[in-house]
Amino acid sequence: MKMMRAACAAMILLLFSAGGVLSQGTQEAAPQFPGHGQAPASNADYKKAAKQFGEVYRVVQQDYATPVNPNRIIFGGGSTVIGAIPGALRTLDPHSNFFDPSRYALLKQQMEGKYFGVGMVIGPRPSKSGTMETEVVQPLPGSPAFKAGLRPGDLIWTVDGKSTQRMDSTQVADLLRGPEGTVVHLTVRRAGVKQPLAFDITRQRITRLSVDDAFMVRPGIAYIRINTFNEVTNAQLSQDLDRLGENNIHGMILDLRGNLGGLLDQAVLVASHFLRAHQLVVYHAGRSSPMERYYVQGGETGPEYPLIVLIDGDTASAAEIVTGALQDHDRALVIGQRSFGKGLVQTEFPLSDNTMLLLVTARYYTPSGRLIQRNYHDVSIYDYFNHYEPGPPPQTQARLTDGGRVVYGGGGIAPDVTVPAVDLNSVQQELVNRGAFFDFGRTYLASHKTVPADFVPDRKVMQEFKAFLPSESVDISDAQSRANEAFIRDHIRIQLVSTIYGEEAGDKISVENDPLVNKAIEDLPRAAQLLVNRNRYMALRGR
Amino acid sequence: MKSSPRLVWFALPTILVCALLGSMYGSRVEATNEGLLQSSARANFKQFRRIYRLVAGNYATPLDPDVAIFGPTNSMTVGAIPGMLRTLDPHSNFFDPKAFEALQLDQEGRYYGVGMYIQLGLGPSNNLVPTVLYPLAGSPAMRAGLRPHDVIIRVDGKSTAGLNLTSVANMLKGPKGTIVRVTVSRVGYPDPLHFSVRRAAIKESSIDASFMIQPGIGYIHIRDFDETTNQELTQALARMEAHHLGGLVLDLRDNPGGLLSEAVAVAGHFLQRGQLIVYHYGRSSPEQRYYAPGDDEGNNYPIVVLINHNTASAAEIVTGALQDHDRALVMGRTSFGKGLVQTVYLLNDDAGLALTTAHYYTPSGRLIQRSYSGLSLYDYFNHDGTPLPVKREVYYTDGGRKVYGGGGITPDIVFKEPRLTEFDRQLLIHFAFFKFARQYVSTHKDLARNFEPGPGVLVEFKRFLAAQKIPATDKDLVTGQDYITGQIRQYVLSDVFGGQEINQISRENDPMVQKAVSELPAAEQLASNAKRYVASRGVN
């Protein structure tokens, strides 16, 4: 959907890299090589290799055919120009990275999960004349922008009197941000409204949501979706659980699909909500990093309700820690597709000049001792991140859960119940890629102004949509549109409802229609059985 | 199956293309002289060392410092040094001691092995198998008794099934003096034959074909420019001049370059004393100009130079010089476009660095180098077909003809290899020529080297296709006639003759070579026009 567009693609790597960032100073630890590991390189080996580099560097500086930019050759530039440091890091693993000042600043902002602004996702939209304009993709629920009444599809015209023509959306985003409490004056053009609409919005601390959705999907059955683990995740989850009332919950679907990870401490806190006091959540160990174990903080005190965790190939890092802990302790039934398999601890080493080295210093293990990390040797970085693998991962590192079930490590978390991903067919893909629903929503609301909360597209709306498609250069036949009628109806509904009533209202509809969620609801008794079996098994073993 | 003959030692094609070196060898680099670096360079170097220490001290698992700094074996993109060099250009490269030794041998035109050409042939169960094309004269392979058409089934007991030619070639190579066991199957022998061959230094000729293609017209193919190229050329020309050489086809196709000094010497054979051949300069490398040493008295026969997309570096220098001085007509496809001088530095611990220190220019001032900014290594080396920039700098030859800079040498006459039709492809996929040739040779005796498949052979071929259930219409056969006859001739003759002889026969039959011979008068005209032009300008 178009909403996804603004989630800056360049950040995906950063998100991946964020599992458990421990800060350390810049002290230059002299290389030391603890006894584990086979035939460690000696201090002299390190020095020799470094000296060789120095030699080559010097020759390049002195004799290269054209003037040499020392920043470029050491630090690289952009994605195509590698550089010495990134070149060295790429020999290690796909998650160790060097951050230049601008990438580092962006990462910090991302990790803090907050900034001062108006709270909306914006993105580029091609205009009729072929230039790019900036539009509102989605005001964040509860944000100043949302409260002021901005809508998806509004075209940003001026910011504080400055025309946004000739600006790209990053520049517009910079204008929207500013000190807390200041007012930004905004005019937008909305389809169906002749005059530009003016808004005065007070900038606030914007917290990027981490718990996207928390609502009852059925009576007594809670649905919680965590999209990332940032500084506010646990606080948000506690709030949401309070709001829903844990006593009212008799079953829960915890959706971690697409969750690329984030902060380790938050993952531990989230897992703690569902586990008993003192249970192990995760541990990590590395060559120079002593083993560290993380135990449940607080812990579940009330009755255990059956829990199902949904995962897919984009569930990674901190999200895999949560899933692994809940699986190993037989607390949750895991459904979906095998997770990404990112279990490396990266340590942040801030350097001078506002640069930073993010180095893998240890590896994560689930409570039962499974290594989460997938193999990356002899795999190109492209194939690694796009999950192109020759076959299923080897079933190595067999471990037992608390309830005595066998689970395997070395390649992400394998679900207890595998449900293949449903791919969109070509018609559906085309409609989504072209942003047809998003654009139709804008056009439809230009003439109809609003829709009721329980809006369901009738035949007339469906016809209107079909008539609208040619303007999106989408060409689908009558047969194709009949075959995809339910898909189209749902997506029009989700688009219009979320435009008028906010993202969560739209999410609710898509969750209710999600086959995997429905499958999970059906499987809740199995999750309940898991708890029973575990208790029986542990009692037998005398615990 | 048109698998071109492939040299046994041709194991490092990328390195070869990348390692087309200038003749200069830098002095051994001596220890630190940080005072020479600018301050920002020094600061960045410090930062590098700091990061390296952090990595060495804190990485999660044991790590190999050599891999981190030099990159994994054969990687040209990762590791600190390759990563740094990739920010510069596609031809600057670091060689670990092993790779550097191979590079040096290569420049001397030597390697350690058994000395035979291998190619893919058709095996007993219609699969592709490595086959001996021919052993080099006097090589260990020849002395041991290996013959053309022997199918290599095992090397040192390891089956070659499913291996590509490069892998088999690498198995045959090894340290000097060691023994490699080669097991072959040979037609007429029910059991496999075993040979123990002692590896020796093999000197590969730089000129792999030189003969009189017609009375008075010579043909020479220079494979690369190594230390003996000029010496070999001198001998080849002397042999030909004894036959009253009146025209020469100089084939530089698939020549990736090599030593600059040899390229200068080769071009010098055909130019007059004092004519500029090439010059180069760089930021820290003062301009250096190379002139023809001798004179070409008695050596003014017309020349046609053949080039293709794999003609690079030193080979482009020769082509550019002969074109700029209107000494030769250039035919084929635009050449690779590699005009960077690499200086080879011997580093501590026998590692090597080939660093671009200057750019080459042809006598008229053309930059040979193609643009590489923003291209991945893969796209740079596989750019075949990428259009050149529309606006290119114009230069003039001695004779006042326009030539263009910034992207290889553009031929005077474009000659593209004909493209295969779908039918042609089907024939290859079904090994039709291979099988037909075998059948034909077994039923026809006394085939001569001037064998020319006539209409009778084509009728037989048509019957063969029907028996093999390979669909073929009359129209297919008529349209593809030239191609089909050429292939049948090639396969039949290589079954009969094999060895070096087929090398010559296939060159004689190459349409581009034949076209080159027919263009010799045009080359002669070119040279005389140029002389007149120069003379007229001299009068003014």
Side-chain angles (χ1 to χ4, degrees):
Chain A
M1 285 208 170
K2 227 172 192 172
M3 263 148 56
M4 302 306 293
R5 203 167 53 181
C8 177
M11 293 303 291
I12 288 176
L13 263 173
L14 308 189
L15 283 174
F16 264 119
S17 59
V21 173
L22 317 165
S23 269
Q24 291 192 358
T26 47
Q27 81 278 12
E28 291 177 10
Q32 40 179 294
F33 314 104
H36 61 271
Q38 55 281 52
S42 74
N43 230 324
D45 293 336
Y46 281 93
K47 283 203 175 126
K48 209 174 97 181
K51 207 173 146 217
Q52 196 79 284
F53 176 83
E55 242 186 305
V56 173
Y57 182 69
R58 215 164 293 120
V59 174
V60 168
Q61 286 291 345
Q62 285 168 20
D63 289 0
Y64 192 67
T66 53
V68 171
N69 174 345
N71 283 331
R72 207 172 130 94
I73 67 174
I74 292 288
F75 305 123
S79 55
T80 50
V81 178
I82 300 166
I85 291 168
L89 296 178
R90 279 293 69 73
T91 66
L92 301 176
D93 64 75
H95 296 285
S96 290
N97 272 303
F98 176 78
F99 290 78
D100 62 22
S102 67
R103 283 182 68 209
Y104 188 32
L106 210 58
L107 176 75
K108 279 199 274 198
Q109 195 180 80
Q110 188 90 5
M111 293 317 299
E112 281 166 8
K114 58 194 172 216
Y115 64 96
F116 299 116
V118 300
M120 58 189 184
V121 180
I122 59 173
R125 180 171 91 199
S127 73
K128 285 201 189 84
S129 61
T131 57
M132 292 310 262
E133 300 175 320
T134 301
E135 71 178 351
V136 177
V137 178
Q138 184 76 54
L140 300 175
S143 67
F146 183 79
K147 287 180 194 149
L150 282 156
R151 281 190 191 173
D154 286 351
L155 204 62
I156 298 176
W157 199 247
T158 64
V159 179
D160 284 336
K162 264 177 253 166
S163 164
T164 59
Q165 320 299 310
R166 296 168 190 282
M167 286 189 198
D168 63 29
S169 37
T170 323
Q171 291 169 305
V172 176
D174 285 342
L175 288 181
L176 292 173
R177 277 196 283 267
E180 186 172 18
T182 54
V183 173
V184 60
H185 180 74
L186 199 65
T187 59
V188 305
R189 293 207 165 259
R190 180 173 293 171
V193 182
K194 281 218 179 76
Q195 294 303 313
L197 300 172
F199 298 88
D200 285 310
I201 310 175
T202 306
R203 293 186 181 100
Q204 287 178 6
R205 165 171 292 211
I206 301 301
T207 304
R208 276 188 52 98
L209 285 187
S210 160
V211 181
D212 263 1
D213 294 305
F215 55 81
M216 292 297 190
V217 63
R218 295 271 196 285
I221 300 176
Y223 172 85
I224 309 248
R225 181 183 191 112
I226 304 179
N227 70 45
T228 181
F229 289 90
N230 65 19
E231 284 179 351
V232 300
T233 305
N234 184 55
Q236 244 192 306
L237 178 66
S238 303
Q239 250 176 35
D240 286 327
L241 290 177
D242 283 349
R243 178 168 52 81
L244 296 173
E246 285 217 62
N247 290 333
N248 303 328
I249 299 176
H250 303 297
M252 182 187 288
I253 316 293
L254 178 62
D255 195 343
L256 298 180
R257 285 175 294 174
N259 184 326
L260 295 174
L263 299 174
L264 171 63
D265 60 335
Q266 294 289 322
V268 172
L269 289 169
V270 166
S272 297
H273 273 283
F274 307 106
L275 294 171
R276 298 285 181 181
H278 312 306
Q279 282 187 312
L280 181 61
V281 177
V282 65
Y283 64 94
H284 58 69
R287 188 186 56 150
S288 307
S289 151
M291 184 186 293
E292 198 155 344
R293 296 164 175 274
Y294 297 82
Y295 292 97
V296 166
Q297 303 179 21
E300 200 173 44
T301 47
E304 284 183 322
Y305 44 78
L307 177 62
I308 285 182
V309 177
L310 303 183
I311 58 169
D312 64 12
D314 291 330
T315 302
S317 197
E320 291 178 292
I321 288 173
V322 172
T323 311
L326 298 179
Q327 191 180 43
D328 278 2
H329 292 304
D330 289 285
R331 178 63 188 87
L333 188 75
V334 180
I335 299 187
Q337 300 105 42
R338 180 180 288 275
S339 65
F340 184 86
K342 194 265 170 181
L344 302 174
V345 183
Q346 287 132 302
T347 302
E348 205 178 299
F349 294 93
L351 305 164
S352 50
D353 308 331
N354 295 318
T355 60
M356 188 268 280
L357 170 70
L358 192 65
L359 183 71
V360 169
T361 51
R363 303 196 285 181
Y364 287 120
Y365 300 84
T366 69
S368 69
R370 289 184 280 166
L371 178 67
I372 294 171
Q373 181 59 43
R374 180 158 49 94
N375 171 54
Y376 47 76
H377 294 291
D378 301 319
V379 181
S380 78
I381 196 158
Y382 181 85
D383 287 348
Y384 174 75
F385 281 110
N386 288 291
H387 253 285
Y388 293 124
E389 282 157 356
Q395 294 220 315
T396 53
Q397 302 179 35
R399 298 283 186 277
L400 291 183
T401 67
D402 290 358
R405 297 182 300 141
V406 179
V407 284
Y408 297 96
I413 303 291
D416 300 315
V417 181
T418 298
V419 179
V422 182
D423 290 331
L424 298 183
N425 66 36
S426 60
V427 172
Q428 296 168 348
Q429 247 169 38
E430 167 106 1
L431 291 172
V432 170
N433 290 348
R434 295 234 175 223
F437 298 112
F438 186 91
D439 295 344
F440 175 69
R442 197 178 56 233
T443 314
Y444 182 86
L445 289 173
S447 48
H448 296 77
K449 304 303 172 205
T450 189
V451 292
D454 58 354
F455 170 78
V456 176
D458 55 15
R459 260 186 57 203
K460 230 180 109 233
V461 178
M462 297 291 281
Q463 275 163 359
E464 231 176 290
F465 180 72
K466 253 212 102 200
F468 165 80
L469 284 182
S471 69
E472 292 283 290
S473 353
V474 178
D475 185 24
I476 63 174
S477 68
D478 285 345
Q480 282 172 326
S481 101
R482 263 196 307 281
N484 294 293
E485 194 177 321
F487 177 87
I488 293 171
R489 192 185 299 278
D490 287 346
H491 278 76
I492 294 176
R493 189 174 156 214
I494 292 164
Q495 184 62 50
L496 292 175
V497 169
S498 64
T499 304
I500 302 295
Y501 299 96
E503 205 176 351
E504 188 166 289
D507 281 1
K508 227 167 178 162
I509 302 171
S510 34
V511 166
E512 279 160 11
N513 288 324
D514 184 334
L516 194 62
V517 173
N518 287 310
K519 162 89 176 134
I521 294 171
E522 274 172 42
D523 278 345
L524 274 170
R526 289 179 66 182
Q529 190 59 44
L530 199 66
L531 299 173
V532 173
N533 291 350
R534 179 203 60 191
N535 292 341
R536 198 179 298 146
Y537 181 83
M538 287 175 72
L540 276 174
R541 289 180 61 206
R543 289 232 358 229
Chain B
M1 189 57 237
K2 191 187 165 188
S3 59
S4 51
R6 174 156 199 168
L7 281 178
V8 180
W9 60 274
F10 218 81
L12 297 167
T14 7
I15 295 205
L16 268 180
V17 177
C18 309
L20 320 162
L21 306 168
S23 60
M24 304 179 296
Y25 276 78
S27 53
R28 177 178 269 274
V29 177
E30 291 306 340
T32 344
N33 188 354
E34 293 201 19
L36 280 172
L37 301 182
Q38 326 147 242
S39 65
S40 62
R42 208 162 35 232
N44 284 355
F45 182 53
K46 267 195 183 147
Q47 184 82 316
F48 175 85
R49 283 209 313 232
R50 193 173 304 137
I51 290 171
Y52 177 69
R53 275 200 293 272
L54 285 172
V55 171
N58 296 286
Y59 193 63
T61 54
L63 73 162
D64 182 342
D66 285 357
V67 172
I69 298 291
F70 308 141
T73 313
N74 293 334
S75 167
M76 291 169 60
T77 54
V78 302
I81 293 172
M84 170 167 69
L85 298 178
R86 283 294 68 74
T87 67
L88 300 174
D89 65 73
H91 296 284
S92 290
N93 272 303
F94 174 79
F95 299 89
D96 64 27
K98 215 178 138 198
F100 194 45
E101 196 196 349
L103 173 75
Q104 285 169 313
L105 279 175
D106 193 49
Q107 284 186 331
E108 293 159 18
R110 288 189 302 140
Y111 68 98
Y112 295 122
V114 300
M116 61 188 181
Y117 287 89
I118 58 175
Q119 67 171 359
L120 283 180
L122 190 66
S125 44
N126 280 341
N127 52 340
L128 287 176
V129 288
T131 310
V132 177
L133 182 65
Y134 62 89
L136 295 173
S139 67
M142 172 166 274
R143 286 198 303 268
L146 283 153
R147 287 197 207 153
H149 301 308
D150 282 351
V151 173
I152 303 167
I153 52 181
R154 279 195 292 278
V155 176
D156 280 336
K158 257 186 75 183
S159 165
T160 59
L163 295 182
N164 60 30
L165 280 183
T166 311
S167 312
V168 177
N170 282 336
M171 289 162 80
L172 291 169
K173 287 197 291 190
K176 188 178 177 180
T178 54
I179 288 187
V180 58
R181 283 176 301 125
V182 184
T183 308
V184 304
S185 79
R186 184 176 291 172
V187 178
Y189 294 80
D191 295 322
L193 305 175
H194 303 279
F195 298 89
S196 289
V197 192
R198 189 178 292 276
R199 294 183 180 105
I202 303 299
K203 172 65 186 91
E204 241 273 280
S205 301
S206 186
I207 292 178
D208 60 358
S210 69
F211 53 89
M212 299 307 285
I213 193 161
Q214 274 179 20
I217 296 174
Y219 169 92
I220 291 178
H221 180 252
I222 305 181
R223 199 176 47 79
D224 70 355
F225 291 91
D226 66 28
E227 288 173 357
T228 60
T229 308
N230 183 47
Q231 187 193 329
E232 289 176 40
L233 180 70
T234 311
Q235 287 165 2
L237 287 176
R239 270 198 312 276
M240 288 178 170
E241 273 153 15
H243 292 91
H244 307 290
L245 192 59
L248 177 67
V249 176
L250 182 62
D251 193 344
L252 297 180
R253 285 178 293 171
D254 299 314
N255 182 327
L259 298 175
L260 171 63
S261 55
E262 295 294 313
V264 168
V266 165
H269 269 286
F270 307 110
L271 294 172
Q272 287 173 359
R273 179 200 291 273
Q275 278 188 312
L276 182 61
I277 292 170
V278 65
Y279 63 96
H280 60 67
Y281 63 87
R283 187 182 54 139
S284 309
S285 154
E287 181 171 295
Q288 198 152 347
R289 301 169 85 86
Y290 299 84
Y291 296 96
D295 63 28
D296 71 341
E297 248 180 306
N299 181 357
N300 52 9
Y301 41 76
I303 301 174
V304 174
V305 174
L306 300 184
I307 59 171
N308 65 10
H309 173 61
N310 298 321
T311 302
S313 196
E316 290 176 295
I317 289 174
V318 172
T319 312
L322 298 184
Q323 190 179 44
D324 278 2
H325 293 303
D326 295 285
R327 177 67 185 87
L329 190 72
V330 179
M331 193 170 120
R333 297 191 57 180
T334 302
S335 63
F336 185 87
K338 194 268 180 185
L340 302 176
V341 184
Q342 271 91 47
T343 302
V344 178
Y345 296 87
L346 176 62
L347 305 174
N348 288 324
D349 305 315
D350 297 324
L353 172 70
L355 183 72
T356 299
T357 51
H359 290 146
Y360 288 120
Y361 300 85
T362 69
S364 69
R366 286 187 277 170
L367 177 66
I368 294 170
Q369 182 60 43
R370 180 158 48 90
S371 164
Y372 47 77
S373 74
L375 289 179
S376 72
L377 265 195
Y378 181 86
D379 289 339
Y380 174 73
F381 283 110
N382 295 283
H383 86 296
D384 201 4
T386 320
L388 288 161
V390 185
K391 271 188 99 179
R392 299 174 66 190
E393 285 179 67
V394 175
Y395 296 86
Y396 294 91
T397 68
D398 291 358
R401 295 182 303 137
K402 272 187 195 172
V403 285
Y404 300 90
I409 303 290
T410 311
D412 301 317
I413 298 176
V414 175
F415 188 99
K416 291 184 182 167
E417 312 278 337
R419 289 182 65 145
L420 297 185
T421 66
E422 184 49 36
F423 176 62
D424 298 340
R425 254 194 296 278
Q426 283 305 314
L427 294 178
L428 289 177
I429 289 166
H430 290 98
F431 303 111
F433 300 119
F434 236 122
K435 294 180 193 168
F436 177 73
R438 192 164 291 177
Q439 177 187 312
Y440 189 84
V441 171
S442 65
T443 52
H444 296 74
K445 300 293 167 206
D446 303 326
L447 287 162
R449 53 177 293 151
N450 61 358
F451 165 71
E452 190 61 45
V457 179
L458 283 174
V459 170
E460 247 181 277
F461 185 63
K462 195 179 161 188
R463 239 181 279 137
F464 165 84
L465 290 181
Q468 295 279 317
K469 301 203 166 52
I470 300 171
T473 64
D474 283 342
K475 189 167 160 268
D476 286 336
L477 291 167
V478 171
T479 344
Q481 187 171 344
D482 286 350
Y483 174 74
I484 292 168
T485 0
Q487 291 292 307
I488 292 176
R489 183 174 53 201
Q490 175 73 18
Y491 280 93
V492 166
L493 290 175
S494 66
D495 252 20
V496 179
F497 295 98
Q500 233 146 355
E501 202 153 12
I502 188 61
N503 183 14
Q504 181 172 335
I505 294 171
S506 54
R507 288 171 195 281
E508 285 167 1
N509 291 336
D510 180 343
M512 188 154 154
V513 174
Q514 291 169 348
K515 170 86 173 144
V517 170
S518 73
E519 291 292 346
L520 279 168
E524 182 142 46
Q525 190 62 46
L526 189 74
S528 63
N529 285 351
K531 272 188 192 134
R532 207 172 308 135
Y533 181 82
V534 173
S536 71
R537 284 181 54 186
V539 168
N540 291 338

